[in-house]
Structures are given as C-alpha cells and as structure tokens.
Amino acid sequence: LARLDMGHAEVVVEAGADGAEVEARRAQMMDKLNAIESARQLEVEARRSLATEAADPRENVRWFLKTFDDDRLGVETTLAEERDKHAAANGDSNVETQERQKATLEILRVTTLQMEKRIAEASYFLPPYDARFCTSSVEKLKLDLGEAAAQMAPRKKFSFKSKKKQEKEKAGDAEDTTVGSTAGDMTVGDSGKVSGDANPEKETSSIPADLLAKVAALASAADANGYTDAVGKVFIFRNQEGSNQAGLPDLVLERLTDCVVFILGSVRAMRCHDLENCRVYGGPVSGSTHAQRLKNCHVEVCSRQVRIHDAFDTTFHIRTTSRPIIEHSTGVSFAPYGFEWHGQDDELKKAQLFDETNAWREVDDFGWIKKQHSPNWCVVPDVDRAVPPEAPEPETKSD
C-alpha cells in the first residue's frame, strides 16, 4: 500500500494500481474536500447574515460617524449663513427678521443637544479617539452658538418699569412681544403665529407655523423619557405614541434604588444605569438595551440586543435576537423572558421579537477569553426562576 498526502486528507493507493486509477481517486477526494469547504463557507455567510440582521445600525461606528458629521456640517453651514445675513444687514434688521434668526438659533441649539446625547449613548462602542473628537466638536458648536446668540439676539437689558406703564398693562393695553430665548417661551395662536404669552389680544409675530412646530419637536426629542434619582418608587411607563417603529421613544432609568419599573409599550432603546435592588419588567425594545452598574437587580425585557457592563448579582430574564454581551460583571444569571401584559403579543410582533430564539443562554463574556465556561454568568435553573408579577391595571398610575 502507498499513501498520498493531499492536504488534510490521505488517499490510500494499493500496490500495482495504475496511474489512471490513482488520479481518479485523487480527483474524488478533491471533490469531497471542495464540498466540505463550500459547506463551511455557506455556514459562515449564513451566520454573518444573521448577525447583520440582528445588529442595531445605530451601533455601527462608521454609520454613527457619518451621521454625526452630516449633522455637524449642517449646523456649521446654517450658522455661517445666519451670520452672513446679519452682517449684510449691518445689525439693522426688522422685528420679523430678528425673530426668524432666534428661531433658527434655537433649532441649531436643540440639534446640538441631540448630537451630544447620541455621543453619550454611543460611548460604549465608539473608539476612544472618535468619542473625544465628537465631544470636542459638540463643545465647539455650543460655543459658536453662544457667541452667535449674543451677537444676533442679545438679551434686553434689565430696567424697572414705570408705574404708569404697569397700570396700562393691567388695563390690558397692547404691547410689543418678543420671542423667548427657548422654545418653551413661544406660544402658537390660532393663526400659527408666535406671541410671548397666550393672550390673543396681544400683537403676534410672523414666524411660520411649520418652523415653530419643528422647534417644538426638536426640543421635545432632546430629552428622552425615563425615571431618575428615586428611592422606593413604582413607575409605570406607557407609550402613548403607539407602536410606530419610526417614532418610538427612548427610555432612560438612572440612579434608582429599591424601585419597580413596568414598561407597558414599545420603546426604541433603553438605558439602565446605576440601579440597585430594582425590578424592571416589560418591553419590547426594538433596538438595544444597555445596562451598566446594576447591583442586585431583576430585569425582564425583550430587546434586539442586550449589553451589560459592570453588573453584579443581577438576574436577566430576556428574549433577544442576538447573543447577550457582558463585560466586567460577576454573579450575573440568565433565564427566558416570562413577563406578560395586555397587548404584548402585537407589540412583540411589530418589533420582530415574538418568536423565542433561545439566544438568552448564548452569552458572550468579553472579559473571559478561555475555552472553559465563564464563571461570571450562569443559567438560572428551572426551579429557581422567579415568577413575574401581574402587570398593573390600565388605570394604575406611577407613584
């Protein structure tokens, strides 16, 4: 017998076999090897495709930097245009122009705040250099906006009103109104114009209603929904905006102790930071759930992605489409999602989280590189899994 080494395989050739037979066996073995390699490549592509579908596009560094750069250039360009218009007018502009400039500056201010918020949310996946660059860019934009506001829309100097003028105001005499420095100072009348207060008898300015609506929308989006700095409270979050995936709110839970939170509705993303002895139930979260610095907590949530940092002695009952990730955590345990509330099935289907994938038990520990199972997490045995509470009634309100 003779042996021919063919890469990872050997072909045994009997003595006396002619060259044609050897070549035929060799070709047969090569076909088998090629088939194995093709199957492996298909499996790799399938896994890569599933990972891409499960990934949250907002956690793609390249996508984040492109979006951030587009917003930064937009703010810088608009601000430069407003400065040029103000310089061309030599500071001699009418009331309508001044009000339009104030509204534009407010839009730019709120856009900058949104950029700052997105940097904070992306801090756990952005490279340090990119995070520092984005932060410094936002700080520069805020300084530039402050200087432009002082130049184009300076605050009126404080002065005491005369007694006669105060009497006229009490009598309801008309007076000029100006737009406040923030969107909260504006009031939209029936005509779609802005006034300093809600009195319809007073003169109104002529800022377009669609511009005011954009200011109000940006101002409301600058701050996410959530609960912070509380002890021993019960919070019930109900998404009043419906389950339209494009307009879902974010939810933030920060610095809570001995609190219970029920999430009865869909949210776009959820951040849980600095929680101790807390219980969180609900979902779904159409994007990612980021939990950081949790201690002795119980979390039940359906989310496309779950990332956990610096958590200790905390149980996660989750349903997710990708492998949960833990880092710098110990005493973390996992179990399947079990909380139920009225209308949950429809919300889960719309968020594509209705089907159980069992990914909750395929945990990746970024702080453990050995082949052995990480000692930092475990699966909760069936007999030890806590029964979730019943969902609050529709009329129940938060503390």
Side-chain angles (χ1 to χ4, degrees), residues 318-365:
I318 59 176
R319 180 183 298 172
T320 178
T321 58
S322 61
R323 299 164 69 99
I325 294 173
I326 67 171
E327 190 172 12
H328 304 142
S329 303
T330 58
V332 180
S333 54
F334 291 85
Y337 179 79
F339 180 66
E340 296 180 355
W341 51 276
H342 180 70
Q344 172 181 266
D345 289 350
D346 290 339
E347 299 286 342
L348 290 174
K349 290 176 181 177
K350 291 176 181 178
Q352 299 181 356
L353 291 167
F354 182 76
D355 296 326
E356 177 60 76
T357 63
N358 290 322
W360 58 269
R361 58 190 178 193
E362 304 295 332
V363 181
D364 286 332
D365 186 354

Side-chain angles (χ1 to χ4, degrees), residues 144-161:
D144 292 343
L145 286 171
E147 293 175 358
Q151 180 184 5
M152 292 185 287
R155 294 179 179 270
K156 288 187 175 181
K157 294 183 178 180
F158 175 79
S159 61
F160 290 100
K161 295 181 179 180

